[in-house]
Amino acid sequence: MKYKFSFKQFIVPNFWKRLAFMLPAVLFMGFFVSILLEINWGTDPASFMNFNIAHTIKLSLGTTEVIVYGLMLVIVFFTGANRIGFGTLANMILIGYTVDLCRWIWAKCGLHDFIMTCSLAPKIGIFVLALLLFVVVAAIYMNAQMGVAPYDALPSIISEALPKVPYFVIRIIYDFLAMGIGILVSLFSQDGIQGSLIGASAMSILIGPAVSLVAKPLSKLLK
């Protein structure tokens, strides 16, 4: 089913309360992705794809995400416009540039050098903590219900078009397709694949349950 776009859909019930959850969650998503990229053991499938594209075409991650998600947004606009909101634009614009800013800060303050030279134990601790906190803030962002990222909207739209196929199956295939795009693009880079496929796969499995876990308590706070 197609939906007509309306600017009224940006003004959701409890707008300011939802915004107070959504906006910090988006910024923290960028913060934790920047740490995961420093460790280089894997990120979520979308960041894996975008980072490999950015690295190959020599653009910042922020600019790359605006371009990639902008193209996806065109498809969403014509096939599932009801999913667009302030959260859509915040995710599309802020996460990548937050990552770029944080990684610049990590290089200046010495965190990058620390991660590169520290022993395995602290690196594992930082990775696990950043991974879990990213999943939590991603769940908060999604449950704020102020619109979803173009990347996340497309599998939902596909699921509506294929009602007999379970959503989780569509999502797994979709995420692995994104990782495949990242791998394919990296073939044109002298540095090869950026990030870990194992980490990206783990993230795609963790995000779904985390969203469900956060949904109930957050929905009470937003009423």
Side-chain angles (χ1 to χ4, degrees):
M1 180 185 296
K2 293 184 179 180
Y3 302 89
K4 290 184 178 180
F5 174 80
S6 171
F7 284 105
K8 292 181 180 180
Q9 68 196 52
F10 280 75
I11 311 302
V12 297
N14 295 319
F15 175 85
W16 294 109
K17 187 183 289 187
R18 292 178 185 274
L19 185 67
F21 280 93
M22 183 276 290
L23 195 55
V26 167
L27 296 175
F28 274 113
M29 285 166 69
F31 175 85
F32 291 122
V33 166
S34 72
I35 295 175
L36 292 170
L37 287 175
E38 290 294 327
I39 297 174
N40 201 34
W41 285 352
T43 61
D44 62 288
S47 296
F48 176 87
M49 175 184 71
N50 290 327
F51 186 60
N52 275 281
I53 293 173
H55 188 82
T56 300
I57 64 178
K58 308 300 181 184
L59 287 178
S60 70
L61 181 62
T63 301
T64 301
E65 289 200 349
V66 169
I67 294 171
V68 172
Y69 289 161
L71 294 173
M72 291 182 174
L73 186 62
V74 174
I75 301 173
V76 175
F77 183 85
F78 288 106
T79 58
N82 61 311
R83 292 173 172 82
I84 299 173
F86 276 112
T88 307
L89 302 179
N91 185 295
M92 176 177 162
I93 297 170
L94 293 180
I95 291 181
Y97 287 118
T98 300
V99 172
D100 292 333
L101 175 61
C102 287
R103 296 196 76 195
W104 178 81
I105 294 173
W106 305 152
K108 295 294 183 180
C109 75
L111 180 62
H112 171 79
D113 292 334
F114 171 77
I115 290 175
M116 291 297 100
T117 58
C118 70
S119 61
L120 186 61
K123 188 175 290 188
I124 291 174
I126 295 171
F127 175 75
V128 171
L129 184 62
L131 180 64
L132 292 176
L133 290 176
F134 171 83
V135 170
V136 171
V137 294
I140 292 172
Y141 159 76
M142 293 179 188
N143 282 292
Q145 296 180 355
M146 295 191 74
V148 296
Y151 179 89
D152 295 311
L154 287 177
S156 297
I157 294 169
I158 295 169
S159 181
E160 283 189 357
L162 302 172
K164 294 184 178 181
V165 182
Y167 173 77
F168 78 91
V169 173
I170 292 174
R171 183 69 197 221
I172 290 173
I173 294 172
Y174 180 81
D175 283 337
F176 275 93
L177 179 61
M179 288 187 282
I181 292 172
I183 294 170
L184 181 63
V185 172
S186 71
L187 297 177
F188 298 93
S189 170
Q190 294 180 345
D191 301 321
I193 297 174
Q194 303 298 303
S196 167
L197 287 171
I198 297 175
S201 300
M203 289 281 268
S204 66
I205 295 170
L206 281 172
I207 289 177
V211 171
S212 300
L213 187 66
V214 172
K216 190 173 182 179
L218 186 60
S219 63
K220 291 181 179 179
L221 287 172
L222 294 176
K223 285 183 179 178

